[in-house]
Amino acid sequence: GRCPCRFLVFPWFAAAQMYMSYPRWQQMLNCLMYMLMFLLFFCFRWKLNGTEILPKAGSHFSLSGGNLRISRLNRDRDAGTYQCLASNSFGTIVSREASLTFAYLESFKTQRRSPVSVREGQGMVLLCGPPPHSGDLVFSWIFNESTTFVQQETRRFISQETGNLYIAKVEPSDVGNYTCVVTNTVTKTRVQGPSTPLVLRSDGDELFPPFLFFISSPSPAPSITWRREDGAPFPRKVDTRKTNGVLEIPYFQQDDVGTYECVAENSRGMNKVKGKLSFYAPPHLIEKPQDVQKLIDDSLVWECKATGKPKPSYRWMKNGENLESTERIQVANGVLSISRLTLSDTGMYQCVAGNKHGEVYSNAELRVIAAAPDFSHNQLRSQTMVKVGGDVLVECRPKMSPWGVISWRKGSEPLQQNDSTLTLTSARLHLSACDQAAYKITKCVSEASVITTQPSTLDATVGESVVLPCQVSHDPSLELKFTWFFNEQLIHFGSHDGFFEKVGGQHSAGDIMIRNIQLKHAGKYTCAVQTKVDSISVALDLIVRGPPAPPTQIHVEEITDTTASLSWRPGPDNHSPITAYTIQARTPFSLGWQAVTTVPEVVGGRQLTAVVIDLNPWVEYEFRVLASNRIGTGEPSKPSKQARTKSTSPKVTPANVSGGGGSRSELVITWEPVPEELQNGPGFGYVVAFRPHGATGWMQAAVPSPEASRYVFKNESIQPFSPFHVKVGVYNNEGEGPFGPVITIYSAEEEPGRAPTRVRARSLSAAEIEVSWKALPWNASKRRVLGYELRYWSKSEREDTASVQRTVGNQTSSVIRGLRGSTSYYISVRAYNTAGTGPPSSTVNVTTKKPPPSQPPDKVMWNTSNSKIIVNWEQVKALENESEVTGYKVLYKKNRHSRPSVMETNTTSVELALPTDEDYIIQIKPFGEGGDGSSSRQITIPKTAGQWRDRVLSQSI
């Protein structure tokens, strides 16, 4: 046959002799045993990338006891996914997939590399750039062609991700030739790259050589500590004493999930960086389908559940083939349901739960069997009423599987198949069926019931409403009962989400309406009418036209760095031809599903393939397809498997490159990091190039962190506020990308070198002091003045706790507010710029005025006449420690939300010329040289319509 079978080897001749010596009952038992063993013999097959392998004579494929042997392996021919299929008479099951890949390591292409020049004490990085390969790599470096490798320590680090060698604080002993050595852990092959000379540049060399790669190296060397953001202590399995910048967590568990923070600190400052650890797990089955035996026409429901992160998806197979949902078979969310079982459903079933970390399989057998007839669940009626000369229908519905032949008897005489009618001539008719049941006719009526509505086919569109008619001509003495069925299932009115409604208003009409019709309402509808004498029914088919069902079998056939070729199968068109397909994509960086550009631009309804273009390299994509017809667009398909585009050199440069500021002798360069989805591949980093204004050679620095947004170059020879040309480029493991535009950035400037003079201060009130000074020359030399900083503190405070207030620009005075009354303050002024503040001016001293009166006006009286409001109050007397009252402010407004008007007076009364046909709100407060005092409470003066009104209000003290 098509595959070898694993037969058990018996000594058949000896077995035959033993067989003949056994008793006959044991001979029969042994025969049955051998037949059963034969049925259990296994047949094995194999598939490569979904295609069955058919070994032939001379083929490099061979099968031995179910095992697949491959000779003369070829990378292009034999790489792929293999799967074993095991079959016997009960069915077929498949194994999990196994991938065969070929490890290789090619040679370096470049034969020569330019020297790298670096100043002593700086840091630098040497790029390895491994050749094309497959399989895990181990990187090492050789120094000066010696037999020993470069050892990692506090100054040296070799990245096992990119192969790059990092050296912090280059010393004279580091000068020499460096060679990157790449080893494939699978093939054990090793290749050496071209050597890179490292040259130490002295202070007398040109300040900016044409090319230089280095990394930022803090001085003094920082101490590095790790901690969890939630404050939880590290478990005992983590040895924090050996981190040296690398945190190793052995036996990673769910409890280790969280955000970790690395803190680097030296005497000049501290910096932090955070990283999040997430937990992912392959699927694990927690609920499996069990072997089951069912009768023909029964239903089956199997449920499969699995844990895993990400959440697993499910698929079902029968005898090694994927199951798709049909009218009778439904596959959804790990649940398999089959209605109206037949013998052909017998077989081996498998549930497959999978995520990107693996798949797990579970097996179960379904046997569908027959059953003998049984009337216990469906007894025949003992009496039936019919009309004289009419027809009688007596149902005989025993439970049996499969459905068999039913015969009838009249008395003891069998009824022949050619009997077309039975005439009733007596009051009692005895029929004898399979269980000898008797039947009696007790009433006769004259007219048979007839459904006058003709069977038909109705057509509707999703969202419409449709009436299904059912009208009857019948004997008026009989009561009608209407019952409706949908696909042979009883319709319960009032349920079904309110879609079905009875609308037949007449005694002889049982019409129903389906409102807001949906695709699920398409099918066969039956109106059954029953009386005491007879029952009749009529059926009609309802076709519902709607948007297409989701497409299926979405596959990524081929993928490049910017394109993906897709194929799919159409779903049902729901009685309206598919006119177009729309393709959407989703990535870990997108906000949900987004429409993509395709070739062809418009994908027609007959086309089942398309090429998606303008994708980002080195990004994981999922795709889905939506079908449209003249009615609308249907639901989207299930997402395709995740597929990552190929990597390529980066094309996008950082945005918003700027900088400036910093400490003395520093050039600070900043930028916005390139988003991960635009980095085009692993090993992404930045190349910062800069040169003094007017110089020709560029100085370059590699920043190997994709999240980096800042680079600081420090050199004592940099003059303050000197212009530099700066550009920032990008690179990854595939190569270097472009540089961004050249911009001008100034180095750090020096803080102002002189102090302001002629500093004066005077008290404006109990809470305010005005300070003035003489400005320094604007933009003098390289020491710009961006503004002035006022530092002030009270006599009871220390100077190092002084409050600070800043001005902007060439301002020469400022008011300090929020002070305490009757308090002595010391004030100094300094100029500032981006480098810091200059020396302080001489300190001046000033005492704030006494606080304003704390007592509000009391006994406020008012009256109105025509267009005048006259207000009087009692004089406020200041306390001994308060400033004297020099006047009063009267605030009045029309409503609570309007801005108040203010009138000042040095008396205790005021006359306001205001229309009296408006409501007014008035407040009074005293003031003196210490400022405004406490206000009276709000007084509401209602409109008076021209009448005099007197009011006296007491203000509590």
Side-chain angles (χ1 to χ4, degrees):
R2 303 195 319 160
C3 67
C5 292
R6 177 178 290 175
F7 291 104
L8 298 177
V9 179
F10 294 102
W12 294 106
F13 180 75
Q17 289 181 326
M18 293 173 61
Y19 176 83
M20 297 303 295
S21 64
Y22 289 157
R24 185 168 184 81
W25 67 268
Q26 193 167 0
Q27 293 179 15
M28 295 179 64
L29 181 62
N30 290 343
C31 183
L32 290 173
M33 181 186 70
Y34 290 138
M35 291 177 63
L36 178 61
M37 294 178 64
F38 177 79
L39 290 174
L40 293 176
F41 289 156
F42 283 103
C43 176
F44 297 93
R45 292 176 289 149
W46 284 84
K47 286 185 177 181
L48 169 59
N49 295 332
T51 302
E52 187 170 344
I53 298 173
L54 299 176
K56 300 178 181 178
S59 170
H60 69 296
F61 289 118
S62 62
L63 287 160
S64 175
N67 299 326
L68 177 66
R69 182 184 298 275
I70 309 174
S71 59
R72 304 185 302 278
L73 283 170
N74 181 279
R75 185 172 76 188
D76 297 329
R77 177 189 60 192
D78 300 323
T81 301
Y82 289 79
Q83 204 166 20
C84 176
L85 293 82
S87 303
N88 65 8
S89 59
F90 296 117
T92 300
I93 58 173
V94 300
S95 70
R96 64 185 178 92
E97 295 180 344
S99 295
L100 175 61
T101 58
F102 290 80
Y104 65 91
L105 178 61
E106 298 183 5
S107 299
F108 282 86
K109 305 298 182 184
T110 306
Q111 299 302 318
R112 181 182 179 187
R113 293 187 177 179
S114 302
V116 172
S117 177
V118 63
R119 191 186 301 276
E120 182 179 351
Q122 291 179 336
M124 51 81 66
V125 58
L126 295 175
L127 304 181
C128 178
H133 62 277
S134 176
D136 293 337
L137 301 182
V138 173
F139 298 95
S140 54
W141 285 79
I142 295 177
F143 178 53
N144 285 339
E145 301 180 357
S146 65
T147 57
T148 60
F149 293 101
V150 175
Q151 299 299 314
Q152 292 196 122
E153 34 89 7
T154 56
R155 286 195 312 113
R156 294 182 178 89
F157 172 72
I158 300 174
S159 170
Q160 293 304 319
E161 294 291 331
T162 63
N164 297 339
L165 170 63
Y166 300 86
I167 303 179
K169 293 190 183 62
V170 171
E171 300 175 355
S173 60
D174 296 321
V175 173
N177 293 320
Y178 289 82
T179 303
C180 181
V181 180
V182 183
T183 303
N184 192 305
T185 60
V186 180
T187 65
K188 307 303 181 183
T189 55
R190 175 184 294 179
V191 294
Q192 290 187 192
S195 63
T196 303
L198 175 63
V199 180
L200 191 63
R201 177 166 46 82
S202 65
D203 292 336
D205 294 339
E206 181 188 359
L207 178 59
F208 296 100
F211 297 99
L212 175 64
F213 285 87
F214 62 93
I215 59 174
S216 175
S217 176
S219 178
S223 63
I224 297 176
T225 57
W226 287 88
R227 72 178 189 88
R228 288 183 60 138
E229 188 179 49
D230 58 8
F234 286 118
R236 297 180 61 183
K237 64 182 179 180
V238 177
D239 188 354
T240 57
R241 296 171 298 177
K242 301 193 305 181
T243 58
N244 194 25
V246 177
L247 177 65
E248 180 179 354
I249 304 176
Y251 316 114
F252 186 79
Q253 301 293 329
Q254 179 75 43
D255 294 340
D256 298 320
V257 169
T259 300
Y260 291 76
E261 186 174 62
C262 174
V263 182
E265 187 173 10
N266 62 13
S267 59
R268 300 194 61 184
M270 181 179 66
N271 200 2
K272 301 177 182 179
V273 66
K274 295 180 181 180
K276 185 177 182 180
L277 281 179
S278 300
F279 182 83
Y280 297 99
H284 174 71
L285 286 169
I286 58 175
E287 186 169 336
K288 305 176 184 179
Q290 302 296 323
D291 295 346
V292 68
Q293 180 173 289
K294 292 280 187 178
L295 295 176
I296 295 175
D297 288 331
D298 277 356
S299 296
L300 168 75
V301 177
W302 263 332
E303 187 168 3
C304 180
K305 288 184 180 179
T307 59
K309 190 172 183 182
K311 185 178 180 181
S313 59
Y314 302 89
R315 60 188 174 93
W316 285 83
M317 293 188 295
K318 176 189 175 184
N319 291 334
E321 300 294 333
N322 284 331
L323 278 175
E324 299 290 344
S325 293
T326 64
E327 179 184 358
R328 201 171 56 85
I329 301 174
Q330 296 295 319
V331 179
N333 298 325
V335 178
L336 171 65
S337 58
I338 306 176
S339 60
R340 303 189 303 279
L341 288 169
T342 65
L343 291 174
S344 64
D345 292 320
T346 296
M348 296 298 299
Y349 290 78
Q350 290 179 284
C351 170
V352 185
N355 60 19
K356 63 181 181 180
H357 302 291
E359 289 184 333
V360 288
Y361 290 69
S362 65
N363 312 324
E365 180 189 358
L366 169 63
R367 290 190 185 182
V368 182
I369 62 173
D374 180 10
F375 280 96
S376 61
H377 298 287
N378 213 352
Q379 297 288 350
L380 300 182
R381 295 172 59 185
S382 59
Q383 290 186 349
T384 301
M385 182 180 293
V386 297
K387 78 180 187 68
V388 175
D391 295 335
V392 59
L393 175 63
V394 180
E395 289 186 336
C396 177
R397 301 191 59 169
K399 182 178 180 181
M400 54 182 172
S401 178
W403 192 257
V405 176
I406 296 177
S407 61
W408 289 82
R409 295 178 183 274
K410 180 180 180 182
S412 60
E413 298 294 327
L415 296 177
Q416 302 299 322
Q417 290 292 334
N418 57 3
D419 291 342
S420 58
T421 62
L422 291 174
T423 303
L424 304 180
T425 57
S426 63
R428 188 181 295 264
L429 174 65
H430 294 276
L431 296 177
S432 178
C434 303
D435 64 346
Q436 305 297 318
Y439 296 83
K440 184 168 87 173
I441 294 161
T442 60
K443 182 179 179 181
C444 297
V445 296
S446 59
E447 180 183 346
S449 301
V450 178
I451 295 178
T452 58
T453 303
Q454 294 299 317
S456 63
T457 299
L458 294 180
D459 194 314
T461 301
V462 167
E464 295 180 347
S465 297
V466 64
V467 174
L468 308 183
C470 184
Q471 299 186 358
V472 182
S473 170
H474 65 100
D475 189 307
S477 65
L478 296 177
E479 183 178 351
L480 300 179
K481 179 182 179 182
F482 292 92
T483 307
W484 280 88
F485 298 87
F486 173 42
N487 289 337
E488 302 181 1
Q489 298 295 319
L490 178 65
I491 297 176
H492 298 280
F493 293 93
S495 58
H496 300 280
D497 297 326
F499 287 105
F500 296 99
E501 178 183 344
K502 292 182 178 181
V503 294
Q506 302 176 1
H507 176 66
S508 59
D511 303 350
I512 65 170
M513 174 182 285
I514 309 176
R515 298 186 182 275
N516 187 24
I517 201 166
Q518 302 296 311
L519 290 171
K520 64 182 180 181
H521 296 138
K524 179 181 178 181
Y525 288 83
T526 303
C527 175
V529 185
Q530 186 176 6
T531 68
K532 290 184 177 181
V533 174
D534 55 7
S535 61
I536 52 178
S537 64
V538 64
L540 58 85
D541 291 319
L542 177 60
I543 297 174
V544 180
R545 304 184 189 278
T552 61
Q553 300 180 31
I554 316 300
H555 294 294
V556 180
E557 305 292 347
E558 183 180 357
I559 194 162
T560 69
D561 55 345
T562 59
T563 66
S565 300
L566 304 183
S567 67
W568 61 89
R569 302 300 301 167
D573 63 7
N574 292 329
H575 307 288
S576 179
I578 297 173
T579 57
Y581 289 99
T582 302
I583 299 176
Q584 296 177 338
R586 178 174 66 181
T587 74
F589 316 105
S590 63
L591 297 175
W593 292 93
Q594 307 289 334
V596 293
T597 306
T598 60
V599 175
E601 185 175 357
V602 178
V603 183
R606 295 180 178 272
Q607 191 159 349
L608 300 177
T609 61
V611 178
V612 181
I613 61 175
D614 298 336
L615 301 178
N616 290 329
W618 197 245
V619 173
E620 285 189 336
Y621 281 89
E622 292 177 285
F623 300 95
R624 70 181 186 183
V625 183
L626 299 87
S628 302
N629 57 20
R630 66 176 184 83
I631 297 174
T633 300
E635 293 295 318
S637 68
K638 293 181 179 179
S640 67
K641 289 185 178 180
Q642 282 189 338
R644 184 186 286 273
T645 48
K646 306 296 184 184
S647 59
T648 185
S649 57
K651 302 297 188 295
V652 176
T653 58
N656 296 330
V657 178
S658 60
S663 302
R664 180 184 176 85
S665 302
E666 286 185 347
L667 174 65
V668 179
I669 303 168
T670 61
W671 61 87
E672 287 185 8
V674 174
E676 184 179 350
E677 64 268 28
L678 302 178
Q679 294 174 6
N680 288 12
F684 182 84
Y686 303 93
V687 179
V688 182
F690 49 94
R691 65 186 180 189
H693 196 279
T696 57
W698 289 93
M699 190 176 189
Q700 295 188 356
V703 183
S705 171
E707 294 84 16
S709 62
R710 189 172 186 264
Y711 173 74
V712 179
F713 172 64
K714 184 174 180 64
N715 192 294
E716 297 299 331
S717 63
I718 297 179
Q719 294 299 313
F721 208 63
S722 300
F724 279 75
H725 286 160
V726 176
K727 59 182 180 180
V728 182
V730 289
Y731 71 90
N732 61 19
N733 288 352
E734 298 292 334
E736 294 185 18
F739 278 96
V742 177
I743 67 167
T744 299
I745 297 176
Y746 286 84
S747 62
E749 56 187 336
E750 291 185 340
E751 63 274 7
R754 298 168 57 188
T757 58
R758 299 182 187 178
V759 178
R760 303 286 186 269
R762 67 187 183 95
S763 175
L764 299 180
S765 68
E768 297 175 330
I769 294 176
E770 182 183 49
V771 184
S772 62
W773 59 90
K774 182 181 179 181
L776 296 177
W778 188 253
N779 241 0
S781 181
K782 299 294 184 181
R783 300 171 183 247
R784 296 186 305 165
V785 175
L786 297 183
Y788 295 88
E789 180 179 280
L790 284 68
R791 300 172 65 85
Y792 56 96
W793 63 98
S794 68
K795 189 175 182 180
S796 61
E797 297 173 332
R798 301 196 314 270
E799 182 178 354
D800 58 1
T801 63
S803 300
V804 176
Q805 179 171 303
R806 280 193 168 189
T807 67
V808 178
N810 205 20
Q811 187 176 335
T812 59
S813 66
S814 182
V815 176
I816 302 174
R817 295 180 170 85
L819 305 176
R820 299 190 300 272
S822 301
T823 303
S824 181
Y825 285 91
Y826 297 95
I827 304 167
S828 67
V829 183
R830 308 170 189 234
Y832 73 87
N833 58 22
T834 59
T837 57
S841 68
S842 57
T843 302
V844 297
N845 175 263
V846 64
T847 300
T848 53
K849 298 183 182 298
K850 291 182 178 182
S854 59
Q855 304 299 315
D858 193 15
K859 296 183 179 179
V860 180
M861 299 179 293
W862 59 269
N863 59 57
T864 61
S865 176
N866 296 327
S867 60
K868 294 181 181 179
I869 298 176
I870 302 170
V871 184
N872 298 276
W873 59 89
E874 192 175 81
Q875 183 177 356
V876 175
K877 294 182 180 181
L879 302 178
E880 182 178 352
N881 62 340
E882 297 175 345
S883 57
E884 293 295 328
V885 177
T886 58
Y888 300 89
K889 292 181 180 180
V890 180
L891 293 78
Y892 57 93
K893 56 185 179 179
K894 289 185 178 181
N895 54 64
R896 296 182 181 276
H897 304 293
S898 62
R899 182 183 296 273
S901 300
V902 180
M903 175 182 287
E904 292 189 5
T905 180
N906 55 7
T907 67
T908 58
S909 66
V910 69
E911 185 178 285
L912 303 175
L914 300 173
T916 55
D917 58 351
E918 295 280 354
D919 290 343
Y920 283 91
I921 297 174
I922 295 179
Q923 280 183 295
I924 304 165
K925 57 183 175 182
F927 66 87
E929 67 173 4
D932 292 346
S934 299
S935 172
S936 68
R937 68 181 181 88
Q938 288 186 350
I939 302 168
T940 301
I941 301 179
K943 57 186 177 182
T944 61
Q947 296 181 0
W948 284 87
R949 303 181 67 177
D950 294 329
R951 292 291 185 271
V952 178
L953 296 100
S954 295
Q955 176 73 42
S956 61
I957 298 178

